Amino acid sequence: MKIKPLFERVVLESIKEENKSSTIILPDANLEKSQIAIVKEIGTGGNIDGEKIVFQVDIGDKVIYNKFSGHEISIDGKTYIIISQNDILGIIKEK
Amino acid sequence: MKIKPLFERVVLESIKEENKSSTIILPDANLEKSQIAIVKEIGTGGNIDGEKIVFQVDIGDKVIYNKFSGHEISIDGKTYIIISQNDILGIIKEK
Amino acid sequence: MKIKPLFERVVLESIKEENKSSTIILPDANLEKSQIAIVKEIGTGGNIDGEKIVFQVDIGDKVIYNKFSGHEISIDGKTYIIISQNDILGIIKEK
Amino acid sequence: MKIKPLFERVVLESIKEENKSSTIILPDANLEKSQIAIVKEIGTGGNIDGEKIVFQVDIGDKVIYNKFSGHEISIDGKTYIIISQNDILGIIKEK
Amino acid sequence: MKIKPLFERVVLESIKEENKSSTIILPDANLEKSQIAIVKEIGTGGNIDGEKIVFQVDIGDKVIYNKFSGHEISIDGKTYIIISQNDILGIIKEK
Amino acid sequence: MKIKPLFERVVLESIKEENKSSTIILPDANLEKSQIAIVKEIGTGGNIDGEKIVFQVDIGDKVIYNKFSGHEISIDGKTYIIISQNDILGIIKEK
Amino acid sequence: MKIKPLFERVVLESIKEENKSSTIILPDANLEKSQIAIVKEIGTGGNIDGEKIVFQVDIGDKVIYNKFSGHEISIDGKTYIIISQNDILGIIKEK
């Protein structure tokens, strides 16, 4: 079973960062606002306000997103987030 | 008796997920925000803000939607939701 | 005496649904939000934001509307609602 | 002395409906929201957001308007309302 | 010393209406919202949102304006208001 | 050290008006809203919403601005304000 | 490990200003609103609302930004801010 998000949305799978050599810590003030996840599914695309949706993230990308946006659901014991691409802040790239 | 929704709206029929082999659980924080339903009717379409409405869902699709949007009504003992397509988060596809 | 609504508005006449064979019940949570009415008059049309107004409802249509929108008035003992077409959720069609 | 309203505004003169054979009653919930008035003056027109203003009301029309919009002023003992045409709900026509 | 307002703004000089033969009274509910003033200076014009600013008031016009908009300043003992033309409700014309 | 503001912003240097022959007094109600300053730097320009930014103020102009907008910073003991040109109400010109 | 921000966002590295010969002090009222940082990464660009994103800041620029915007994260003991370019107030240039 999988979810195909509509329009500009993507599906993220929440992860807990465990990389020992390099750590990302979300500080107190924004602790609950930013989170890290893996892109699992890209939306159907199409147009919003007459402008074609362009995806800048790909399946497998590790991203930081604004936690207060999006909808969490749980399928088969894993937590997923359906979120607008615009609420993804950036892509985390290993050097 | 049936309802034909106007413009970009669709009619959903609320369902209770009972698939044993795979479960979707809506976690606490968003328990009342997301729900699963079947698309029963597509809107009349037309234009909004000069842009033609394109439906990305079809009658029979199983979808996740934002419960806080839409209007619930009950006809002949069943619960329906009239909702803007934009408040449908994604389509659930069986693998 | 009658009312010709301006632009995209329509005039509705509120009805109490009394069809025995099929019932529409508005559930508790949205009891005061959705209501059923008959379209009595179509607006003058024209343009809004440079886009021509297109009416998707006709005089005589039975519709569900968002009660919190619109203005109620009473003429000769009947209750009418002046409402934007966009606050009409859908048209009720007998099968 | 008279007032020429700017752009899409019109000047209304508030009236008390006294027609015996047909009455318009504004019900409790919206008692203070809708009122009846006569159009006394049409605005200067021009453009708003690049779109030419078109007046759908004329001097002498009896209209229903949204009382919470507009500005009331009193000249020579009469009450006038300067209001955007868009806050006029409809024109009352005698059959 | 004078003030040249930017873009669509104008400078008004607040007046106290003292015409005996005809009086404008601002009623209780809107007593602090509407006021009468003389246009003292027209803005620099230019474009807003890609649309050329057109002034519909002239220096010397007596106008009614929405008091809650605009900024009051006092120069050489007189009170001036810098206000967007759009917050001027209408021009007062002597018959 | 100086600051080059981005897009439509400008840098103002706050001044205390000390001209004896002519005084500008900001009245009570708006005492903290309007202030006088000298334009010290013009923004980088470019486009906002597809429209080219045009500056109507110049370095050296004495302006009135909306104090509640903008960001104050202090460099080498002087107070500067980075503010959108649109929050500058007008230019003060000596007769 | 680094972060590539999406669309019009940039990554800033927060700094503490220690230049002895010239100091920037953020005054009380806005103490927590404005901060100084170095641009570490430019966004992916693309279009927003049909308009191409143009970056006016470069990697290495020292900038003042609106602290209440943006998301702070901490990587390897350093504090970074992912922020829309539009929330950068200006570029600090050494004379």
Side-chain angles (χ1 to χ4, degrees), chain F residues 70-86:
Chain F
H71 287 77
E72 263 186 42
I73 61 165
S74 173
I75 304 180
D76 300 337
K78 289 179 180 170
T79 300
Y80 297 96
I81 301 103
I82 307 177
I83 194 169
S84 288
Q85 183 186 222
N86 196 43

Side-chain angles (χ1 to χ4, degrees), chain E residues 10-73:
Chain E
V10 301
V11 175
L12 305 179
E13 182 181 347
S14 191
I15 60 168
K16 289 188 174 63
E17 185 72 18
E18 297 174 18
N19 187 327
K20 287 285 163 49
S21 64
S22 157
T23 58
I24 295 187
I25 301 167
L26 307 172
D28 294 329
N30 296 291
L31 189 64
E32 296 175 317
K33 282 190 186 166
S34 302
Q35 264 190 344
I36 295 166
I38 301 292
V39 177
K40 300 302 281 187
E41 192 71 46
I42 298 297
T44 50
N47 287 282
I48 293 185
D49 298 335
E51 187 184 359
K52 189 170 159 48
I53 296 163
V54 177
F55 286 102
Q56 296 195 346
V57 294
D58 247 327
I59 294 177
D61 283 351
K62 187 188 288 191
V63 297
I64 301 187
Y65 68 96
N66 182 347
K67 193 193 173 184
F68 283 161
S69 307
H71 287 78
E72 264 186 42
I73 61 165

Side-chain angles (χ1 to χ4, degrees), chain C residues 1-9 44-51 53 70-77 79 82, chain D residues 17 19 21-27 30 33-34 51 54 56-57 64 66 85-86 88-95:
Chain C
M1 184 186 289
K2 70 171 198 175
I3 297 168
K4 184 67 178 177
L6 291 193
F7 296 101
E8 87 294 357
R9 293 180 185 91
T44 49
N47 287 283
I48 292 186
D49 298 336
E51 187 184 359
I53 296 163
H71 287 76
E72 264 184 41
I73 61 164
S74 174
I75 304 179
D76 300 335
T79 300
I82 308 176
Chain D
E17 186 72 20
N19 188 327
S21 64
S22 156
T23 58
I24 295 188
I25 300 168
L26 307 173
N30 296 290
K33 281 189 187 166
S34 302
E51 187 184 359
V54 177
Q56 296 196 346
V57 293
I64 302 187
N66 183 347
Q85 183 186 221
N86 195 43
I88 297 180
L89 305 173
I91 302 173
I92 298 171
K93 294 187 188 296
E94 310 298 328
K95 276 176 192 166

Side-chain angles (χ1 to χ4, degrees), chain D:
Chain D
M1 182 187 289
K2 68 171 199 175
I3 297 168
K4 184 66 178 176
L6 292 193
F7 295 101
E8 87 294 355
R9 293 181 185 90
V10 301
V11 175
L12 304 179
E13 181 180 349
S14 191
I15 60 167
K16 289 187 174 63
E17 186 72 20
E18 296 173 18
N19 188 327
K20 288 283 163 49
S21 64
S22 156
T23 58
I24 295 188
I25 300 168
L26 307 173
D28 294 329
N30 296 290
L31 189 64
E32 297 175 315
K33 281 189 187 166
S34 302
Q35 264 191 343
I36 295 166
I38 301 292
V39 178
K40 299 303 281 187
E41 192 71 46
I42 298 297
T44 50
N47 287 282
I48 293 185
D49 297 336
E51 187 184 359
K52 190 170 157 48
I53 295 163
V54 177
F55 286 102
Q56 296 196 346
V57 293
D58 247 328
I59 295 177
D61 283 351
K62 187 188 289 191
V63 298
I64 302 187
Y65 67 97
N66 183 347
K67 193 193 172 184
F68 283 161
S69 307
H71 287 77
E72 264 185 40
I73 61 164
S74 175
I75 304 180
D76 300 336
K78 288 179 180 170
T79 300
Y80 297 96
I81 303 103
I82 307 176
I83 195 169
S84 288
Q85 183 186 221
N86 195 43
D87 290 314
I88 297 180
L89 305 173
I91 302 173
I92 298 171
K93 294 187 188 296
E94 310 298 328
K95 276 176 192 166

